[in-house]
Amino acid sequence: MIDTKKEQERDELHRAIWAIADELRGAVDGWDFKNYVLGTMFYRYISENLTNYINQGEIESGNMDFDYAKMSDKDAEEARQGLVEEKGFFILPSELFCNVLDRAAEDENLNETLESVFRHIEESAQGSKSEGSYAGLFDDYDVNSNKLGATVAKRNEKLVKLLSGVANMNLGSVQDHDIDAFGDAYEYLMTMYASNAGKSGGEFFTPADVSELLTRLGTVGKTEINKVYDPACGSGSLLLKALKILGKDAVRNGFYGQEINITTYNLCRINMFLHDVGFDKFDIACEDTLTAPQHWDDEPFELIVSNPPYSIKWAGNEDATLINDPRFAPAGVLAPKSKADLAFIMHSLSWLASNGTAAIVCFPGIMYRGGAEQKIRKYLVDNNYVDCIIQLPSNLFFGTSIATCIMVMKKNKTDNKTLFIDASNECVKVTNNNKLTPENIDKIVDIFTKREEVKHFTHLANYEEVAENDYNLSVSTYVEAEDTREKIDIKKLNAEIEEIVAREQVLRDEIEKIIAEIEV
């Protein structure tokens, strides 16, 4: 049951956070400016996280009045090595968010101060197990960018506002991980920036409702999984849904993802930390997943969730080595060079555990087009990997109105059938976009679990039926849409027309009588 008061408080907090973020950006485009707000939030979070960790240890040892923020840098240095091993990073007391904020308004070199603080945080992890998790994290936080202001003074003025604005975000104590306020605020801000950015930024951002549906489809009947993987992970929202749905320790061996865009890759790692995922529990790589996959040593994965970019170009048959790649070779053909969609599907299937589930958002064209794409669908169906296809409503994603679908794949199916679900009407309209409500998600997951036939909603097709349809996997081929047009009784309608004509004649006769009387 939803706690209405808590939800209300959360909405109020979100509104306050967006008001601060919106006010801060000034002339900078929101999608570009998000790196500054989210980077500052991250700096505040790790400062408070480290301070709280050290203070708790001291209090437990009986040192009740201890506060790491008030300690001298010289004394703190002694604990550096141990803290890097335990937490993965180190920050000197003078460089903590709260202390830099206290001096910010008077610091004429604030841009240089922040630059050196960020460099020191990244350097603190060098040579340790956490180095890869922290390297380059602040690369997109350019304190000398003209976007912040034309002069150093103007830029510093904006940086003071940034630090103060993030300090004023009521994100509670980092101890209270039930609230998950930092991670929650991050997700909310990403959603708001994406919805305001149109195609420039929000095109492939996966809204929370779709993320929830994918993860629930992939974890039906499970209370824990070994690893979750997203081959096109963006800012990591899909990966982290497993943590929200299954619980903190239910993802036993961690979160794995690959992202080609370096800015988004940095945001993804920040997102992991803000959700209190330790540096040793995630491995996010920055490379092209299709031609340079980085997790050969980590596969297979029990849960794969993804919303890969739609119909992008890739090397395809221009690269002679790809047809022999164990991920693509089994289908005997590569996805077209101009449409990489089914390459992501084959990659995911290859890295899926035998007891796992992959739930992937797909561009609708890959379900019915001919050529190489049809051959790949034939391979998937002939080998009984396609568990379910779900048609989603249009307008679910920012920046595109396409009605996408979800392909659910498994390697251990108990039947040789494919379930088709027409969920195109399972949504509510919110401003310009459609949204899946908790009830819509429950209904889709429930019918997916039961694998039942429901007229105008689902169809369970056997192998022969799909083969007869030339391996077309479009939901509309299998689920007949309900005819919602009003049914008309012709006999009744004719009788009503006759009655109207008769009454019309009576009226005419009456009018003619009145006219005749007037003329007399």
Side-chain angles (χ1 to χ4, degrees), residues 248-313:
K248 186 85 178 76
D249 301 312
V251 183
R252 294 190 307 274
N253 299 322
F255 304 80
Y256 296 79
Q258 193 160 333
E259 170 56 40
I260 198 166
N261 179 299
I262 192 153
T263 299
T264 320
Y265 157 71
N266 287 334
L267 287 172
C268 182
R269 291 184 297 156
I270 286 173
N271 199 6
M272 292 289 149
F273 286 122
L274 288 176
H275 282 85
D276 200 37
V277 177
F279 69 87
D280 54 343
K281 285 292 286 273
F282 71 84
D283 186 341
I284 310 297
C286 185
E287 257 292 2
D288 184 328
T289 303
L290 299 179
T291 54
Q294 298 295 299
H295 293 104
W296 284 111
D297 297 336
D298 305 301
E299 58 97 9
F301 302 99
E302 198 175 334
L303 173 63
I304 298 178
V305 278
S306 194
N307 176 22
Y310 312 138
S311 303
I312 57 162
K313 293 180 172 64

Side-chain angles (χ1 to χ4, degrees), residues 211-216 219 240-247 250:
S211 298
E212 173 124 359
L213 175 60
L214 286 172
T215 309
R216 285 189 52 193
T219 54
L240 288 158
K241 266 287 180 280
L243 182 138
K244 191 168 184 183
I245 287 167
L246 293 175

